[in-house]
């Protein structure tokens, strides 16, 4: 099953119910090499779902000491596709290292992608 790291609205129960149709259970972790800022959300459906006009967003720093706390969820491929539809164009899904172990999918700032 895919692992999805959330540091923002995908941790909210109301967003999980709207996006996945269920409440997720996960484990605390942190994503490595990123810093967190905020982004304005102009998609009315996403604002209605989250209840927020600004969401956290991650920017790649490459610094192994930079970490952002959040939660790792195990979800299905279909649920990952639902998460892709929930996130606005400012975000892109990438695989990133976790502080606990391994990697997980995470949504980061599309304009800060690294190769």
């Amino acid at each position: 099953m895919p692992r999805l790291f959330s540091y923002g609205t995908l941790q909210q129960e109301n967003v999980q119910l709207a996006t996945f149709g269920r409440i997720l259970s996960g484990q605390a972790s942190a994503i490595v090499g990123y810093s967190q800022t905020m982004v304005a959300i102009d998609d009315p459906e996403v604002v209605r779902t989250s209840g927020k006009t600004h969401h956290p967003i991650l920017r790649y720093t490459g610094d192994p000491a930079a970490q952002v706390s959040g939660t790792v969820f195990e979800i299905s491929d279909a649920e990952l596709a639902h998460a892709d539809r929930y996130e606005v164009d400012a975000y892109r899904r990438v695989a990133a290292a976790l502080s606990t172990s391994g990697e997980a999918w995470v949504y980061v700032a599309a304009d800060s992608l690294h190769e």
Side-chain angles (χ1 to χ4, degrees):
M1 293 185 82
R3 296 195 312 162
L4 177 64
F5 178 82
S6 175
Y7 54 92
T9 61
L10 286 173
Q11 294 180 95
Q12 294 176 210
E13 288 186 357
N14 62 319
V15 173
Q16 291 175 7
L17 286 171
T19 305
F20 308 115
R22 67 183 180 104
I23 302 294
L24 304 178
S25 61
Q27 296 181 339
S29 189
I31 207 84
V32 177
Y34 289 84
S35 64
Q36 182 176 305
T37 61
M38 298 296 281
V39 64
I41 303 298
D42 57 10
D43 182 305
E45 184 60 29
V46 173
V47 171
R48 187 172 22 263
T49 299
S50 70
K52 298 176 182 177
T53 59
H54 289 75
H55 290 192
I57 195 164
L58 298 185
R59 297 198 171 278
Y60 181 71
T61 66
D63 178 359
Q67 295 189 8
V68 176
S69 297
T71 306
V72 178
F73 301 108
E74 285 192 2
I75 60 173
S76 69
D77 290 329
E79 289 171 326
L80 188 58
H82 289 301
D84 286 344
R85 285 191 290 279
Y86 168 75
E87 297 295 352
V88 298
D89 289 342
Y91 295 87
R92 291 292 178 268
R93 179 167 47 95
V94 300
L98 297 171
S99 64
T100 47
S101 70
E103 289 185 334
W105 291 114
V106 61
Y107 294 95
V108 303
D111 62 2
S112 76
L113 292 179
H114 67 286
E115 298 298 325

